[in-house]
Amino acid sequence: MLLRRSSTNIHKFGKIIFLRESSSLPVNQSSSHDDSTNKNTMFDNKLKQQMSERIPRIEKIEVTYEGRGIADNAVMYMNKHLSTPYHCAMHISHGLAQRGVIALVKPQNNEEQNDEVNQDNVIDNKEEDPSLIYSMNQPLDADCRLQFLKFNMSQATPWHHQQVNKAYWRSCAFILGAITKDAFQTSFSPHVYKFPDISEKSGAFCCDIVLDEAVKDWKVTEESLVYLTKLARGIISKQLKFEPLLVEPEFAMEMFHKDNYRRSEIEKFHEKNPLLPISVYRLGNYIDVTSGPLIMNTSMIFHYVVTAIHKLHSNANVNSWRMQGLSLPEDLKVHHTVWSLLEKRARKLVREDMYDNDTCTSSSSNKENLLKYESIENKTKIYSKATGQWVNNKWASADPTR
Amino acid sequence: MPRGYAHGTSFRKFGGPEKRLNLLRTLVNVLIKHERIETTFAKAHEAQKYTNRLIEIAKRGTDDAYSRDMIKFWAPREEIQSKLLNDLVPRFKEHKSDFTRLAVLSKQYCAEPRQSFHRYAVLELKGNPLPPLPIQEKNPHTLQNVLIAAAQEEMFNKKES
């Protein structure tokens, strides 16, 4: 039903030619997905190579869990370069393993100097104890003290909460990047330009994409936003892992040899801190560089909508658009009235990283204020016939490309 | 529970207007004296509003005839009056409202065995010297609260400009 409904919408509003219809999928697939398959094979090979180099035989490391409760200060003997914070959390409790967002790792004194080569991010929390933020799927390198950060923490500093929120915002933007290839027709050569670093206070996470010159005057309609939201929900409902891989800058340059912007950013990062490796993440087939750790799994996400696509005029050479979205995790559900307020706010263009001189689609902004939007989430929800409640796990059937 | 309705807000009758006023007056006086009291939830909930209002009036000063009368009626004893004017008014100088805190007690914390259908509660003045109640404060740093606060701030700025 949904598939048919979406296609009729496309005929009715003839302007949405950009969204790929289901019939055109298999024809153009081979050329566009060459690049991604290439990256995927490189990713797999690198992972295998790293495993064989680092683990000639399995060694044990001592991991101390710092937490509140019965298992406080429990000591675990885990496998070096193999077991992740997620595996440690599984030993402690099922709930912790499901809810842990990121891990705070404090390396023990003996091997502190050796560690710094293989770190994701060095962040000086306080001057006395430097602690590193690890993704839940990233293998541990040495003896350490572990702490898990969740969305809801009763006794935590604002700094901890900021790190969790940033990681969540980053990974939601990552999903926006993952749907761009599927969302648009291949003839418009869509690709992700960058993930701007935007704080959660601006109300929406962003992903800048570049389209072909032919679609300069695209008028974004409500139907296309609903379509994009359904695509994103399709990915989320598959409960995919965010797989991390730490690589050298040379390898990353080779991986993104077509992408000039990303190459320049990798170079900049390498110049700033030459000791650190570059973190590459994979979600399904999509691979990209990120500025920090992501969350563990897409199953944590509860609300997710794509709220707006705005045209950017900042760089006149390329036809760039900004996709915006809003999301909240399972632990932090909100009432539908609050959600509608937040969603309305997320429709506005985020100008956090722009200068005031930039004028972006200001012609329609007055009209937007007058319009009363219906919530996109309501349009994409599926209710269970048995219970009358929102079915969160069966979103895969809503994927219109199937 | 029998309830009165005035201007769309409901209140407990507590056995008639006279009894109600006497009861509330004693509750307010006791609260100002001891800074923390334990009663049924209904009484505490009513007394909270009157205490807030009394402190609000006392903050205006005693130059006004109305405030003088009100303080005289609600705090007839001199020691309570002096505590109200000399202690509480400077304490809440920078606060706008909500000078009290109300916490519902679960059954296990009640001192005596009581009838099961009464909810008991603790009413206290903020900034009191007693050891703090084990109440979970709202966390302003979680993601949804950050988003909501930012949206509120934006709306507020829009109205001002």
Side-chain angles (χ1 to χ4, degrees):
Chain A
M1 266 307 288
L2 273 160
L3 194 154
R4 213 179 278 166
R5 205 184 297 158
S6 67
S7 64
T8 50
N9 278 340
I10 286 169
H11 289 307
K12 205 161 60 180
F13 303 88
K15 283 168 189 170
I16 326 173
I17 44 167
F18 315 105
L19 301 178
R20 178 194 285 166
E21 287 171 33
S22 56
S23 58
S24 69
L25 233 176
V27 184
N28 299 328
Q29 209 165 18
S30 58
S31 62
S32 74
H33 285 249
D34 250 2
D35 193 32
S36 73
T37 47
N38 201 3
K39 276 180 195 167
N40 268 309
T41 49
M42 280 177 85
F43 191 96
D44 286 332
N45 292 338
K46 187 70 185 172
L47 206 62
K48 270 182 198 170
Q49 189 195 331
Q50 278 188 358
M51 291 277 268
S52 59
E53 277 176 8
R54 284 180 185 173
I55 320 171
R57 67 189 180 83
I58 290 173
E59 296 173 37
K60 292 289 177 186
I61 53 170
E62 203 178 289
V63 180
T64 316
Y65 169 64
E66 287 183 342
R68 303 168 66 221
I70 304 165
D72 198 355
N73 296 331
V75 178
M76 291 168 275
Y77 293 94
M78 308 302 286
N79 300 330
K80 195 176 185 180
H81 296 305
L82 206 63
S83 13
T84 61
Y86 175 70
H87 295 141
C88 297
M90 288 284 280
H91 282 295
I92 290 157
S93 76
H94 179 70
L96 187 68
Q98 294 302 309
R99 281 185 209 152
V101 184
I102 44 178
L104 211 61
V105 176
K106 286 176 200 162
Q108 300 288 55
N109 299 328
N110 316 337
E111 303 175 33
E112 204 171 332
Q113 290 178 346
N114 303 338
D115 279 354
E116 271 177 36
V117 186
N118 295 325
Q119 278 159 11
D120 192 8
N121 269 327
V122 178
I123 290 155
D124 294 321
N125 183 7
K126 288 154 197 167
E127 287 177 7
E128 289 173 7
D129 51 22
S131 46
L132 325 170
I133 298 174
Y134 270 47
S135 162
M136 289 290 277
N137 295 325
Q138 187 185 327
L140 296 165
D141 308 319
D143 295 0
C144 59
R145 299 181 75 83
L146 248 191
Q147 205 181 334
F148 293 103
L149 303 185
K150 296 184 275 188
F151 289 113
N152 259 333
M153 291 180 284
S154 56
Q155 293 183 339
T157 60
W159 183 84
H160 288 149
H161 277 290
Q162 273 175 22
Q163 297 309 316
V164 171
N165 295 350
K166 268 185 194 171
Y168 186 72
W169 227 230
R170 226 178 276 135
S171 34
C172 285
F174 199 83
I175 292 170
L176 275 187
I179 61 169
T180 41
K181 269 274 154 57
D182 290 339
F184 298 94
Q185 282 186 7
T186 43
S187 55
F188 299 112
S189 61
H191 63 270
V192 179
Y193 181 57
K194 64 170 177 177
F195 296 111
D197 195 16
I198 275 168
S199 79
E200 53 281 357
K201 277 180 186 172
S202 55
F205 48 83
C206 303
C207 167
D208 289 0
I209 56 169
V210 174
L211 295 180
D212 197 59
E213 285 292 312
V215 285
K216 245 181 176 176
D217 309 318
W218 175 29
K219 276 193 175 178
V220 184
T221 53
E222 204 71 3
E223 279 73 27
S224 46
L225 293 178
V226 170
Y227 178 89
L228 287 171
T229 308
K230 280 180 183 172
L231 267 184
R233 296 268 16 160
I235 288 181
I236 288 163
S237 64
K238 284 176 197 163
Q239 307 200 341
L240 299 169
K241 258 186 178 180
F242 287 94
E243 297 169 57
L245 182 70
L246 301 185
V247 293
E248 309 83 55
E250 293 81 34
F251 182 81
M253 297 278 267
E254 197 190 327
M255 207 174 200
F256 295 95
H257 64 279
K258 283 181 185 174
D259 205 328
N260 290 328
Y261 177 80
R262 221 138 292 182
R263 286 183 60 162
S264 67
E265 245 186 18
I266 291 167
E267 274 179 9
K268 268 185 207 167
F269 183 81
H270 185 54
E271 280 173 17
K272 259 188 186 177
N273 18 14
L275 277 178
L276 298 185
I278 280 154
S279 56
V280 177
Y281 275 80
R282 175 161 77 172
L283 177 73
N285 292 325
Y286 182 70
I287 293 174
D288 214 326
V289 186
T290 61
S291 55
L294 303 185
I295 62 173
M296 184 182 68
N297 200 319
T298 51
S299 63
M300 283 174 178
I301 297 169
F302 186 74
H303 299 283
Y304 194 99
V305 288
V306 182
T307 48
I309 305 176
H310 290 286
K311 172 103 174 123
L312 296 183
H313 294 282
S314 49
N315 41 355
N317 299 330
V318 281
N319 179 22
S320 64
W321 299 76
R322 171 163 287 187
M323 283 163 83
Q324 288 176 201
L326 182 65
S327 169
L328 279 176
E330 178 116 33
D331 294 357
L332 308 175
K333 295 168 196 170
V334 290
H335 193 255
H336 66 88
T337 49
V338 179
W339 176 256
S340 69
L341 275 176
L342 295 178
E343 205 184 291
K344 218 175 249 177
R345 184 171 176 246
R347 284 171 187 270
K348 292 176 198 163
L349 178 65
V350 173
R351 291 163 183 272
E352 195 181 307
D353 58 334
M354 292 183 217
Y355 300 109
D356 293 336
N357 301 333
D358 289 341
T359 52
C360 304
T361 55
S362 55
S363 58
S364 61
S365 65
N366 289 330
K367 279 182 189 173
E368 274 172 24
N369 292 336
L370 295 174
L371 278 174
K372 260 194 176 179
Y373 290 111
E374 209 181 303
S375 170
I376 294 174
E377 188 167 54
N378 281 344
K379 289 181 189 172
T380 51
K381 269 178 188 174
I382 300 170
Y383 290 97
S384 153
K385 278 180 187 172
T387 59
Q389 291 192 330
W390 181 10
V391 179
N392 204 29
N393 300 329
K394 293 181 182 173
W395 277 99
S397 58
D399 188 356
T401 53
R402 288 186 178 184
Chain B
M1 183 179 287
R3 284 190 159 203
Y5 291 91
H7 303 289
T9 54
S10 62
F11 57 89
R12 283 87 167 175
K13 285 185 175 174
F14 291 138
E18 265 181 41
K19 272 190 182 177
R20 179 186 155 84
L21 277 182
N22 285 335
L23 178 66
L24 287 172
R25 197 197 286 165
T26 50
L27 280 174
V28 168
N29 281 318
V30 167
L31 176 61
I32 291 171
K33 190 182 172 190
H34 297 290
E35 308 235 336
R36 181 183 288 172
I37 55 170
E38 185 186 322
T39 51
T40 57
F41 175 78
K43 285 173 193 167
H45 191 234
E46 290 289 303
Q48 187 186 23
K49 300 169 196 168
Y50 284 84
T51 318
N52 279 339
R53 179 70 179 151
L54 182 63
I55 293 169
E56 219 167 79
I57 287 166
K59 276 172 77 177
R60 289 187 205 164
T62 49
D63 304 334
D64 193 2
Y66 171 76
S67 60
R68 229 179 294 141
D69 284 359
M70 278 293 151
I71 290 168
K72 205 179 174 186
F73 178 79
W74 283 101
R77 283 163 64 189
E78 263 186 32
E79 51 191 271
I80 305 280
Q81 268 184 27
S82 68
K83 185 174 182 187
L84 180 66
L85 293 172
N86 302 330
D87 189 11
L88 298 188
V89 169
R91 190 197 291 178
F92 296 121
K93 211 171 190 177
E94 290 168 6
H95 294 251
K96 274 186 180 176
S97 59
D98 298 342
F99 312 113
T100 51
R101 191 181 290 128
L102 182 62
V104 181
L105 280 177
S106 68
K107 245 188 201 174
Q108 51 177 328
Y109 293 118
C110 292
E112 310 151 22
R114 278 160 176 155
Q115 285 165 326
S116 61
F117 49 81
H118 276 159
R119 276 194 299 164
Y120 276 78
V122 170
L123 181 62
E124 66 168 5
L125 290 171
K126 283 180 184 174
N128 57 11
L130 300 166
L133 292 172
I135 300 174
Q136 210 177 28
E137 297 288 325
K138 284 174 190 170
N139 192 343
H141 303 293
T142 52
L143 183 59
Q144 95 278 40
N145 287 343
V146 168
L147 282 170
I148 291 166
Q152 273 180 345
E153 199 185 320
E154 202 183 81
M155 279 166 72
F156 185 70
N157 291 337
K158 214 178 190 180
K159 272 180 191 173
E160 275 196 340
S161 63

